[in-house]
Amino acid sequence: MAEMDGWLMAALSPLTKPIVSLPCPFLAWCPQLPLSNLGGPCMAERDPSDSLTPDWAASRKLRAREIRRRIVANVANKTTDMADGPLPLHKSVYIDEARFQAEREHLFLGQPLVAGLTGDIPEPGDYLVFDAAGPSILVIRGKDGVVRAFRNLCTHRGAKLVEQAEPFTGKASRISCPFHAWTFDNLGKLVGQPGKAGFADCEIGARDLLELPCTEHLGLIFVRASEGEPIDAAAHLGDFADQLALIELHRAVPVKKGILHAESNWKFALDTYGEGYHFAALHASTIGQTHYNDISVLERFGCHHRISFPDKTVGDLVGRDEAEWPDTEYGGVHYLFPNTVIFFGAVTPGVYFTQVFRLFPDGVGKTRCQFGVYAPFGIIDEAYRGVCEMAYDATAEVVQTEDYRVASHGYANLKTAPEDFHVVLGANESAPQAVHQHIAEAIGMPI
Ligand code: FES
Ligand SMILES: [Fe+2]
Protein backbone atom coordinates (compact mmCIF):
# COMPACT_ATOMS: atom_id res chain seq x y z
CA MET A 1 0.00 0.00 0.00
CA ALA A 2 3.00 2.26 0.00
CA GLU A 3 2.83 3.04 -3.67
CA MET A 4 2.28 6.68 -4.15
CA ASP A 5 2.25 7.21 -7.81
CA GLY A 6 -0.60 4.75 -8.22
CA TRP A 7 -3.14 7.48 -7.92
CA LEU A 8 -6.06 5.25 -7.50
CA MET A 9 -4.33 3.20 -4.90
CA ALA A 10 -6.59 2.90 -1.96
CA ALA A 11 -5.41 4.77 1.06
CA LEU A 12 -6.92 2.24 3.39
CA SER A 13 -4.38 1.81 6.10
CA PRO A 14 -4.32 5.29 7.61
CA LEU A 15 -8.08 5.35 7.94
CA THR A 16 -10.55 3.32 9.85
CA LYS A 17 -13.09 2.95 7.09
CA PRO A 18 -12.55 1.75 3.56
CA ILE A 19 -12.02 4.38 0.95
CA VAL A 20 -10.54 4.57 -2.45
CA SER A 21 -8.54 7.64 -3.15
CA LEU A 22 -8.63 8.75 -6.71
CA PRO A 23 -6.08 11.26 -7.87
CA CYS A 24 -7.12 14.81 -7.95
CA PRO A 25 -9.16 15.71 -9.82
CA PHE A 26 -9.79 12.05 -10.21
CA LEU A 27 -9.82 11.90 -6.50
CA ALA A 28 -12.87 10.71 -4.72
CA TRP A 29 -13.83 9.92 -1.20
CA CYS A 30 -15.89 6.81 -1.63
CA PRO A 31 -16.46 4.94 1.61
CA GLN A 32 -18.86 2.42 0.13
CA LEU A 33 -16.45 0.73 -2.26
CA PRO A 34 -16.30 -3.01 -1.49
CA LEU A 35 -12.57 -3.24 -1.92
CA SER A 36 -12.37 -6.31 0.23
CA ASN A 37 -13.93 -8.25 -2.64
CA LEU A 38 -11.30 -7.20 -5.06
CA GLY A 39 -8.23 -9.21 -4.21
CA GLY A 40 -7.25 -11.99 -6.49
CA PRO A 41 -4.87 -12.22 -9.37
CA CYS A 42 -3.50 -9.26 -11.15
CA MET A 43 -5.69 -8.53 -14.14
CA ALA A 44 -2.69 -7.08 -15.90
CA GLU A 45 -1.07 -10.42 -16.51
CA ARG A 46 -0.53 -11.18 -20.15
CA ASP A 47 -1.95 -14.07 -22.01
CA PRO A 48 0.76 -16.72 -21.55
CA SER A 49 -0.23 -18.35 -24.85
CA ASP A 50 0.88 -15.27 -26.75
CA SER A 51 4.65 -15.13 -26.70
CA LEU A 52 4.67 -12.06 -28.95
CA THR A 53 2.78 -9.94 -26.45
CA PRO A 54 5.15 -7.84 -24.38
CA ASP A 55 4.88 -8.42 -20.68
CA TRP A 56 3.33 -5.05 -19.95
CA ALA A 57 2.65 -5.89 -16.31
CA ALA A 58 6.37 -6.43 -15.74
CA SER A 59 7.20 -3.31 -17.73
CA ARG A 60 4.81 -1.28 -15.60
CA LYS A 61 6.48 -2.47 -12.42
CA LEU A 62 9.90 -1.46 -13.71
CA ARG A 63 8.63 1.92 -14.82
CA ALA A 64 6.86 2.43 -11.52
CA ARG A 65 10.06 1.78 -9.62
CA GLU A 66 11.95 4.36 -11.68
CA ILE A 67 9.29 6.94 -10.99
CA ARG A 68 9.09 6.06 -7.35
CA ARG A 69 12.76 6.91 -6.83
CA ARG A 70 12.06 10.45 -7.96
CA ILE A 71 8.91 10.63 -5.87
CA VAL A 72 10.65 9.50 -2.72
CA ALA A 73 13.37 12.06 -3.32
CA ASN A 74 10.79 14.82 -3.65
CA VAL A 75 9.00 13.70 -0.51
CA ALA A 76 12.30 13.48 1.38
CA ASN A 77 13.25 17.00 0.28
CA LYS A 78 9.71 18.38 0.63
CA THR A 79 9.90 19.68 -2.91
CA THR A 80 8.18 19.23 -6.24
CA ASP A 81 9.28 19.29 -9.88
CA MET A 82 9.54 22.95 -10.77
CA ALA A 83 9.50 25.10 -13.87
CA ASP A 84 12.14 27.81 -14.31
CA GLY A 85 9.93 30.41 -12.66
CA PRO A 86 6.38 31.69 -12.34
CA LEU A 87 4.36 32.28 -15.51
CA PRO A 88 1.99 35.26 -15.56
CA LEU A 89 -1.01 34.87 -17.88
CA HIS A 90 -3.06 37.87 -18.86
CA LYS A 91 -6.75 37.25 -18.23
CA SER A 92 -7.36 37.38 -21.98
CA VAL A 93 -5.78 33.93 -22.27
CA TYR A 94 -9.02 32.65 -20.75
CA ILE A 95 -11.68 35.16 -21.80
CA ASP A 96 -10.70 36.59 -25.18
CA GLU A 97 -13.09 35.62 -27.96
CA ALA A 98 -10.48 35.93 -30.74
CA ARG A 99 -8.14 33.65 -28.85
CA PHE A 100 -10.91 31.15 -28.37
CA GLN A 101 -11.68 31.20 -32.09
CA ALA A 102 -8.01 30.51 -32.80
CA GLU A 103 -8.10 27.57 -30.40
CA ARG A 104 -11.20 26.22 -32.07
CA GLU A 105 -9.60 26.47 -35.50
CA HIS A 106 -6.10 25.25 -34.68
CA LEU A 107 -6.79 22.81 -31.85
CA PHE A 108 -10.33 21.46 -31.98
CA LEU A 109 -10.62 21.46 -35.77
CA GLY A 110 -6.92 21.23 -36.57
CA GLN A 111 -5.38 18.71 -34.18
CA PRO A 112 -5.90 14.96 -33.92
CA LEU A 113 -8.29 14.49 -31.00
CA VAL A 114 -9.16 11.39 -29.02
CA ALA A 115 -12.67 10.43 -30.13
CA GLY A 116 -12.75 7.25 -28.07
CA LEU A 117 -10.94 4.06 -27.22
CA THR A 118 -10.77 0.88 -29.25
CA GLY A 119 -13.03 -0.79 -26.69
CA ASP A 120 -15.80 1.73 -27.36
CA ILE A 121 -16.37 0.24 -30.81
CA PRO A 122 -14.67 -3.15 -30.74
CA GLU A 123 -16.69 -4.99 -33.42
CA PRO A 124 -17.42 -4.36 -37.12
CA GLY A 125 -20.51 -2.20 -37.38
CA ASP A 126 -19.99 -0.56 -33.98
CA TYR A 127 -20.12 3.19 -34.12
CA LEU A 128 -19.94 6.17 -31.80
CA VAL A 129 -21.01 9.77 -32.00
CA PHE A 130 -18.23 12.32 -31.60
CA ASP A 131 -19.84 15.75 -31.55
CA ALA A 132 -17.87 17.73 -28.98
CA ALA A 133 -15.18 19.20 -31.23
CA GLY A 134 -17.62 21.08 -33.47
CA PRO A 135 -19.23 19.10 -36.29
CA SER A 136 -21.16 15.99 -35.41
CA ILE A 137 -19.06 13.02 -36.47
CA LEU A 138 -19.76 9.30 -36.74
CA VAL A 139 -16.82 7.02 -35.99
CA ILE A 140 -17.56 3.59 -37.40
CA ARG A 141 -15.68 0.31 -37.40
CA GLY A 142 -16.25 -1.04 -40.90
CA LYS A 143 -16.88 -4.61 -41.90
CA ASP A 144 -13.16 -4.74 -42.73
CA GLY A 145 -12.29 -3.92 -39.10
CA VAL A 146 -10.93 -0.47 -39.97
CA VAL A 147 -12.19 2.54 -38.01
CA ARG A 148 -13.27 5.52 -40.12
CA ALA A 149 -14.79 8.89 -39.33
CA PHE A 150 -17.56 10.55 -41.34
CA ARG A 151 -19.51 13.71 -40.92
CA ASN A 152 -22.82 12.77 -39.35
CA LEU A 153 -24.47 14.44 -42.27
CA CYS A 154 -26.68 12.93 -44.92
CA THR A 155 -25.45 13.72 -48.43
CA HIS A 156 -29.01 14.23 -49.66
CA ARG A 157 -30.07 17.36 -47.79
CA GLY A 158 -27.83 17.40 -44.77
CA ALA A 159 -29.97 15.74 -42.13
CA LYS A 160 -28.25 14.26 -39.13
CA LEU A 161 -28.01 10.51 -39.64
CA VAL A 162 -27.69 9.60 -35.97
CA GLU A 163 -29.54 12.12 -33.85
CA GLN A 164 -28.30 10.99 -30.44
CA ALA A 165 -25.50 12.98 -28.78
CA GLU A 166 -22.14 11.87 -27.44
CA PRO A 167 -21.44 9.53 -25.65
CA PHE A 168 -23.95 7.49 -27.69
CA THR A 169 -22.71 4.27 -29.27
CA GLY A 170 -24.58 1.88 -31.54
CA LYS A 171 -24.20 -1.05 -33.86
CA ALA A 172 -25.52 -1.41 -37.40
CA SER A 173 -24.42 -2.79 -40.72
CA ARG A 174 -26.19 0.12 -42.39
CA ILE A 175 -27.30 3.54 -41.24
CA SER A 176 -30.46 5.00 -42.67
CA CYS A 177 -31.27 8.71 -42.73
CA PRO A 178 -34.40 9.58 -40.74
CA PHE A 179 -35.49 12.15 -43.35
CA HIS A 180 -35.90 10.24 -46.66
CA ALA A 181 -34.15 6.97 -45.81
CA TRP A 182 -30.99 7.24 -47.86
CA THR A 183 -28.88 4.41 -46.51
CA PHE A 184 -25.11 4.09 -46.03
CA ASP A 185 -23.01 1.04 -45.22
CA ASN A 186 -20.34 1.01 -42.55
CA LEU A 187 -17.69 1.97 -45.10
CA GLY A 188 -19.61 5.17 -45.80
CA LYS A 189 -20.94 4.09 -49.20
CA LEU A 190 -24.41 5.12 -50.33
CA VAL A 191 -26.17 1.80 -50.77
CA GLY A 192 -29.84 2.70 -50.62
CA GLN A 193 -31.63 5.60 -52.29
CA PRO A 194 -35.43 5.57 -52.42
CA GLY A 195 -36.67 7.30 -55.60
CA LYS A 196 -33.28 6.77 -57.14
CA ALA A 197 -34.46 7.82 -60.59
CA GLY A 198 -34.86 11.36 -59.34
CA PHE A 199 -31.12 11.59 -58.75
CA ALA A 200 -29.86 10.07 -62.02
CA ASP A 201 -26.88 11.80 -63.60
CA CYS A 202 -26.42 14.07 -60.61
CA GLU A 203 -23.79 16.59 -61.59
CA ILE A 204 -22.14 16.65 -58.16
CA GLY A 205 -21.39 12.95 -58.41
CA ALA A 206 -21.50 10.11 -55.95
CA ARG A 207 -23.08 10.89 -52.63
CA ASP A 208 -21.08 8.76 -50.23
CA LEU A 209 -20.53 10.04 -46.70
CA LEU A 210 -17.94 12.77 -46.20
CA GLU A 211 -14.89 11.19 -44.64
CA LEU A 212 -12.62 12.84 -42.07
CA PRO A 213 -9.07 11.88 -41.04
CA CYS A 214 -9.14 9.04 -38.53
CA THR A 215 -6.72 6.47 -37.24
CA GLU A 216 -6.51 3.92 -34.44
CA HIS A 217 -3.26 3.64 -32.52
CA LEU A 218 -2.36 2.10 -29.14
CA GLY A 219 -6.04 1.64 -28.32
CA LEU A 220 -6.87 5.28 -29.02
CA ILE A 221 -9.09 6.45 -31.87
CA PHE A 222 -7.88 9.78 -33.21
CA VAL A 223 -10.07 11.98 -35.40
CA ARG A 224 -9.45 15.39 -36.92
CA ALA A 225 -12.71 17.32 -37.13
CA SER A 226 -11.89 18.91 -40.48
CA GLU A 227 -10.91 17.51 -43.85
CA GLY A 228 -7.21 17.29 -44.61
CA GLU A 229 -4.11 15.15 -44.43
CA PRO A 230 -4.21 11.71 -42.82
CA ILE A 231 -3.34 11.60 -39.13
CA ASP A 232 0.15 10.37 -38.26
CA ALA A 233 -0.54 9.20 -34.71
CA ALA A 234 3.01 8.00 -34.13
CA ALA A 235 4.37 11.42 -35.05
CA HIS A 236 1.71 13.13 -32.94
CA LEU A 237 2.61 11.09 -29.86
CA GLY A 238 6.38 10.96 -30.35
CA ASP A 239 8.12 9.28 -27.44
CA PHE A 240 4.95 9.58 -25.34
CA ALA A 241 3.78 6.50 -27.23
CA ASP A 242 6.01 4.31 -25.06
CA GLN A 243 4.23 5.59 -21.94
CA LEU A 244 0.80 5.00 -23.41
CA ALA A 245 1.71 1.51 -24.59
CA LEU A 246 2.39 0.60 -20.97
CA ILE A 247 -1.24 1.13 -19.99
CA GLU A 248 -2.63 -1.13 -22.73
CA LEU A 249 -5.52 1.07 -23.73
CA HIS A 250 -6.43 -1.37 -26.50
CA ARG A 251 -7.70 -3.75 -23.81
CA ALA A 252 -9.84 -1.22 -21.94
CA VAL A 253 -13.57 -1.91 -21.76
CA PRO A 254 -15.98 0.95 -21.11
CA VAL A 255 -18.04 0.75 -17.94
CA LYS A 256 -19.67 4.14 -17.49
CA LYS A 257 -19.64 7.44 -19.36
CA GLY A 258 -21.17 10.85 -18.97
CA ILE A 259 -20.64 14.55 -19.31
CA LEU A 260 -19.35 17.06 -16.76
CA HIS A 261 -19.96 20.78 -17.19
CA ALA A 262 -18.11 23.92 -16.11
CA GLU A 263 -19.19 27.51 -16.65
CA SER A 264 -15.60 28.22 -17.47
CA ASN A 265 -13.11 28.50 -20.25
CA TRP A 266 -11.94 24.98 -21.07
CA LYS A 267 -8.32 25.79 -20.16
CA PHE A 268 -9.27 26.93 -16.65
CA ALA A 269 -10.90 23.54 -16.14
CA LEU A 270 -7.96 21.74 -17.73
CA ASP A 271 -5.47 23.49 -15.43
CA THR A 272 -7.01 21.72 -12.44
CA TYR A 273 -5.73 18.36 -13.69
CA GLY A 274 -2.09 19.36 -13.70
CA GLU A 275 -1.04 20.29 -10.18
CA GLY A 276 -1.24 18.93 -6.65
CA TYR A 277 -0.86 22.36 -5.12
CA HIS A 278 -4.60 22.56 -4.45
CA PHE A 279 -5.09 19.17 -2.79
CA ALA A 280 -4.97 20.36 0.82
CA ALA A 281 -7.23 23.39 0.33
CA LEU A 282 -9.77 22.40 -2.32
CA HIS A 283 -9.90 18.68 -1.56
CA ALA A 284 -9.44 18.85 2.18
CA SER A 285 -11.83 15.99 2.89
CA THR A 286 -10.68 13.71 0.08
CA ILE A 287 -7.28 13.60 -1.59
CA GLY A 288 -5.96 16.25 0.75
CA GLN A 289 -6.15 13.64 3.49
CA THR A 290 -4.40 10.88 1.60
CA HIS A 291 -1.90 12.63 -0.67
CA TYR A 292 0.91 15.10 -0.21
CA ASN A 293 0.07 18.64 -1.11
CA ASP A 294 2.27 20.30 -3.73
CA ILE A 295 4.57 17.35 -4.41
CA SER A 296 4.65 15.77 -7.83
CA VAL A 297 6.90 14.28 -10.48
CA LEU A 298 6.43 15.63 -13.98
CA GLU A 299 7.79 14.04 -17.13
CA ARG A 300 7.33 15.90 -20.38
CA PHE A 301 7.16 14.22 -23.77
CA GLY A 302 6.94 16.98 -26.37
CA CYS A 303 3.56 18.63 -25.92
CA HIS A 304 2.30 15.70 -23.81
CA HIS A 305 3.20 14.83 -20.24
CA ARG A 306 2.82 12.42 -17.39
CA ILE A 307 2.47 13.29 -13.68
CA SER A 308 2.64 11.31 -10.45
CA PHE A 309 1.28 12.56 -7.14
CA PRO A 310 2.43 10.75 -3.98
CA ASP A 311 0.12 9.40 -1.36
CA LYS A 312 1.26 9.85 2.21
CA THR A 313 2.36 6.26 2.74
CA VAL A 314 5.39 7.08 0.62
CA GLY A 315 6.79 8.90 3.59
CA ASP A 316 7.47 5.49 5.10
CA LEU A 317 10.01 4.82 2.35
CA VAL A 318 12.15 7.86 3.02
CA GLY A 319 15.49 6.78 4.43
CA ARG A 320 14.83 3.10 3.85
CA ASP A 321 16.98 0.98 1.61
CA GLU A 322 15.32 0.59 -1.77
CA ALA A 323 15.57 -3.18 -1.45
CA GLU A 324 13.07 -2.94 1.40
CA TRP A 325 10.50 -1.04 -0.61
CA PRO A 326 7.33 -3.02 -1.30
CA ASP A 327 6.45 -4.04 -4.81
CA THR A 328 5.34 -1.18 -6.98
CA GLU A 329 2.08 -0.64 -8.86
CA TYR A 330 2.19 1.64 -11.85
CA GLY A 331 -0.05 4.66 -11.95
CA GLY A 332 -0.17 8.15 -13.28
CA VAL A 333 -1.93 10.92 -15.10
CA HIS A 334 -1.23 11.02 -18.81
CA TYR A 335 -1.99 14.24 -20.67
CA LEU A 336 -2.44 14.08 -24.43
CA PHE A 337 -2.23 17.42 -26.13
CA PRO A 338 -4.44 19.35 -26.40
CA ASN A 339 -7.44 18.26 -24.32
CA THR A 340 -7.28 14.68 -23.02
CA VAL A 341 -6.29 13.40 -19.59
CA ILE A 342 -6.01 9.66 -18.94
CA PHE A 343 -5.58 8.39 -15.44
CA PHE A 344 -4.41 4.82 -14.96
CA GLY A 345 -3.80 3.28 -11.58
CA ALA A 346 -4.59 0.59 -9.06
CA VAL A 347 -7.15 0.96 -6.31
CA THR A 348 -5.78 -2.07 -4.58
CA PRO A 349 -2.83 -4.15 -5.78
CA GLY A 350 -3.51 -5.50 -9.24
CA VAL A 351 -6.97 -3.94 -9.58
CA TYR A 352 -6.93 -1.01 -11.96
CA PHE A 353 -9.14 1.72 -13.35
CA THR A 354 -8.65 3.76 -16.46
CA GLN A 355 -10.36 7.13 -16.44
CA VAL A 356 -10.53 9.27 -19.56
CA PHE A 357 -11.38 12.98 -19.47
CA ARG A 358 -11.76 14.85 -22.77
CA LEU A 359 -12.36 18.57 -22.36
CA PHE A 360 -14.06 20.63 -25.07
CA PRO A 361 -15.23 24.22 -25.26
CA ASP A 362 -18.89 24.99 -25.69
CA GLY A 363 -17.99 28.61 -26.39
CA VAL A 364 -15.32 30.71 -24.70
CA GLY A 365 -16.92 30.38 -21.26
CA LYS A 366 -18.33 26.87 -21.21
CA THR A 367 -16.63 23.51 -20.88
CA ARG A 368 -17.99 20.10 -21.67
CA CYS A 369 -15.94 17.19 -20.34
CA GLN A 370 -16.60 13.78 -21.80
CA PHE A 371 -15.73 11.49 -18.91
CA GLY A 372 -15.49 7.72 -19.03
CA VAL A 373 -14.37 4.99 -16.65
CA TYR A 374 -12.94 1.85 -18.24
CA ALA A 375 -11.93 -1.55 -16.93
CA PRO A 376 -8.35 -1.66 -18.22
CA PHE A 377 -8.24 -5.41 -18.82
CA GLY A 378 -11.90 -6.26 -19.14
CA ILE A 379 -14.73 -6.58 -16.67
CA ILE A 380 -13.81 -9.65 -14.69
CA ASP A 381 -16.98 -9.86 -12.60
CA GLU A 382 -19.97 -7.87 -11.41
CA ALA A 383 -18.25 -6.77 -8.20
CA TYR A 384 -15.52 -5.17 -10.25
CA ARG A 385 -18.05 -3.56 -12.56
CA GLY A 386 -19.75 -2.09 -9.51
CA VAL A 387 -16.50 -0.65 -8.24
CA CYS A 388 -15.81 0.94 -11.62
CA GLU A 389 -19.29 2.47 -11.63
CA MET A 390 -18.79 3.84 -8.15
CA ALA A 391 -15.42 5.22 -9.19
CA TYR A 392 -17.20 7.07 -11.97
CA ASP A 393 -19.82 8.48 -9.62
CA ALA A 394 -17.39 9.48 -6.91
CA THR A 395 -14.90 11.04 -9.30
CA ALA A 396 -17.58 12.91 -11.21
CA GLU A 397 -18.91 14.31 -7.95
CA VAL A 398 -15.53 15.64 -6.83
CA VAL A 399 -14.57 17.04 -10.23
CA GLN A 400 -17.95 18.67 -10.75
CA THR A 401 -18.47 20.10 -7.26
CA GLU A 402 -14.90 21.00 -6.36
CA ASP A 403 -12.59 21.46 -9.36
CA TYR A 404 -15.19 22.70 -11.82
CA ARG A 405 -16.88 24.78 -9.14
CA VAL A 406 -13.65 26.70 -8.62
CA ALA A 407 -13.14 26.95 -12.38
CA SER A 408 -16.62 28.38 -12.89
CA HIS A 409 -16.29 31.01 -10.16
CA GLY A 410 -12.77 31.88 -11.27
CA TYR A 411 -13.84 32.36 -14.85
CA ALA A 412 -16.65 34.70 -13.79
CA ASN A 413 -14.10 36.69 -11.80
CA LEU A 414 -11.71 36.98 -14.73
CA LYS A 415 -14.44 38.44 -16.90
CA THR A 416 -14.85 41.37 -14.49
CA ALA A 417 -11.23 41.67 -13.34
CA PRO A 418 -9.24 44.86 -14.05
CA GLU A 419 -8.06 45.21 -17.64
CA ASP A 420 -4.42 44.54 -16.78
CA PHE A 421 -5.10 41.59 -14.46
CA HIS A 422 -2.84 38.56 -14.79
CA VAL A 423 -3.20 35.21 -13.11
CA VAL A 424 0.10 33.56 -12.25
CA LEU A 425 1.08 29.92 -12.49
CA GLY A 426 3.84 29.20 -9.99
CA ALA A 427 7.02 27.31 -10.80
CA ASN A 428 5.41 24.50 -8.80
CA GLU A 429 2.54 24.49 -11.33
CA SER A 430 4.88 23.38 -14.08
CA ALA A 431 2.50 21.09 -15.97
CA PRO A 432 -0.19 23.76 -16.53
CA GLN A 433 2.60 26.13 -17.57
CA ALA A 434 3.72 23.67 -20.23
CA VAL A 435 0.15 23.15 -21.45
CA HIS A 436 -0.40 26.88 -21.91
CA GLN A 437 2.90 27.29 -23.70
CA HIS A 438 2.13 24.49 -26.16
CA ILE A 439 -1.38 25.77 -26.80
CA ALA A 440 -0.06 29.28 -27.43
CA GLU A 441 2.46 27.90 -29.86
CA ALA A 442 -0.12 25.81 -31.70
CA ILE A 443 -2.52 28.72 -32.16
CA GLY A 444 0.24 31.19 -33.04
CA MET A 445 -0.68 33.64 -30.28
CA PRO A 446 1.96 34.33 -27.61
CA ILE A 447 1.02 34.39 -23.95
S1 FES B 1 -31.72 14.27 -45.93
FE1 FES B 1 -31.12 12.23 -45.65
S2 FES B 1 -32.37 11.11 -46.98
FE2 FES B 1 -32.97 13.14 -47.27
FE1 LIG C 1 -8.53 18.85 -8.13
Side-chain angles (χ1 to χ4, degrees):
M1 294 303 297
E3 180 48 43
M4 55 189 284
D5 79 274
W7 298 40
L8 285 178
M9 178 67 84
L12 296 174
S13 53
L15 299 159
T16 56
K17 54 184 175 180
I19 68 162
V20 58
S21 103
L22 309 181
C24 181
F26 327 103
L27 159 72
W29 175 266
C30 192
Q32 70 275 43
L33 290 186
L35 291 173
S36 58
N37 296 335
L38 290 175
C42 174
M43 291 177 290
E45 289 174 359
R46 64 177 172 165
D47 178 354
S49 67
D50 183 357
S51 61
L52 297 177
T53 302
D55 188 346
W56 292 118
S59 299
R60 279 192 293 274
K61 281 198 188 325
L62 286 174
R63 185 78 183 94
R65 177 55 68 104
E66 294 168 3
I67 296 163
R68 183 193 277 186
R69 291 188 189 108
R70 292 181 55 186
I71 290 172
V72 172
N74 277 359
V75 170
N77 297 323
K78 296 184 172 56
T79 188
T80 190
D81 287 4
M82 302 274 254
D84 293 339
L87 177 68
L89 296 175
H90 185 256
K91 68 173 190 173
S92 61
V93 166
Y94 295 100
I95 66 174
D96 181 63
E97 181 68 33
R99 192 173 196 96
F100 166 64
Q101 292 301 339
E103 290 168 354
R104 186 141 74 177
E105 176 185 348
H106 295 290
L107 301 181
F108 294 96
L109 297 180
Q111 286 283 326
L113 301 175
V114 175
L117 269 52
T118 292
D120 291 316
I121 47 171
E123 303 291 336
D126 290 345
Y127 63 91
L128 61 83
V129 174
F130 171 44
D131 60 8
S136 184
I137 296 167
L138 290 177
V139 182
I140 308 175
R141 190 175 298 280
K143 57 191 174 191
D144 57 358
V146 175
V147 177
R148 297 176 179 82
F150 303 99
R151 288 181 182 268
N152 183 13
L153 172 153
C154 179
T155 50
H156 175 213
R157 284 169 52 191
K160 193 176 268 191
L161 295 167
V162 176
E163 296 178 334
Q164 289 91 340
E166 193 171 355
F168 179 80
T169 58
K171 186 179 190 69
S173 58
R174 296 181 168 196
I175 294 176
S176 202
C177 178
F179 200 175
H180 312 91
W182 281 27
T183 299
F184 304 86
D185 70 10
N186 55 31
L187 305 177
K189 300 291 180 197
L190 176 62
V191 293
Q193 202 176 18
K196 190 171 182 175
F199 300 90
D201 303 322
C202 178
E203 66 177 24
I204 55 174
R207 307 303 288 158
D208 295 336
L209 293 182
L210 305 178
E211 190 162 357
L212 291 166
C214 177
T215 192
E216 187 174 22
H217 187 60
L218 296 175
L220 292 162
I221 297 169
F222 291 99
V223 172
R224 190 185 301 114
S226 62
E227 285 75 6
E229 295 297 307
I231 295 170
D232 184 342
H236 177 61
L237 295 174
D239 54 4
F240 197 47
D242 293 341
Q243 305 300 308
L244 292 176
L246 271 184
I247 60 177
E248 299 189 85
L249 293 169
H250 63 286
R251 296 174 63 187
V253 174
V255 176
K256 187 167 183 177
K257 299 177 194 174
I259 303 176
L260 310 176
H261 295 278
E263 297 296 314
S264 159
N265 181 264
W266 70 281
K267 299 188 300 300
F268 204 128
L270 182 64
D271 291 344
T272 68
Y273 293 75
E275 43 87 5
Y277 181 38
H278 68 284
F279 287 179
L282 183 61
H283 304 307
S285 64
T286 51
I287 199 170
Q289 292 198 357
T290 57
H291 286 64
Y292 285 99
N293 193 64
D294 202 17
I295 295 180
S296 61
V297 167
L298 171 67
E299 298 167 287
R300 293 174 58 175
F301 303 88
C303 53
H304 318 287
H305 65 240
R306 181 195 177 291
I307 318 177
S308 297
F309 298 108
D311 75 57
K312 292 179 180 176
T313 62
V314 170
D316 299 339
L317 306 183
V318 174
R320 281 175 60 190
D321 191 290
E322 190 178 315
E324 298 173 18
W325 292 0
D327 215 1
T328 306
E329 297 278 345
Y330 177 85
V333 172
H334 309 76
Y335 165 74
L336 278 77
F337 183 81
N339 71 328
T340 298
V341 177
I342 301 176
F343 167 73
F344 176 93
V347 288
T348 198
V351 181
Y352 289 91
F353 295 149
T354 299
Q355 298 187 318
V356 180
F357 303 83
R358 298 180 299 126
L359 280 72
F360 296 89
D362 262 346
V364 64
K366 284 187 187 300
T367 300
R368 179 173 15 162
C369 173
Q370 301 286 352
F371 174 40
V373 170
Y374 294 74
F377 313 109
I379 301 167
I380 51 167
D381 58 29
E382 287 307 303
Y384 178 51
R385 180 196 296 278
V387 166
C388 290
E389 289 172 348
M390 280 189 272
Y392 178 96
D393 295 341
T395 304
E397 173 76 8
V398 170
V399 171
Q400 186 72 68
T401 64
E402 296 181 0
D403 296 287
Y404 286 7
R405 184 198 82 218
V406 167
S408 299
H409 290 319
Y411 179 75
N413 266 348
L414 291 183
K415 285 199 297 184
T416 55
E419 192 47 47
D420 61 349
F421 183 76
H422 289 67
V423 304
V424 56
L425 293 170
N428 55 334
E429 299 171 289
S430 49
Q433 283 197 18
V435 169
H436 280 277
Q437 285 159 340
H438 286 297
I439 289 173
E441 188 178 327
I443 65 175
M445 295 176 76
I447 48 179

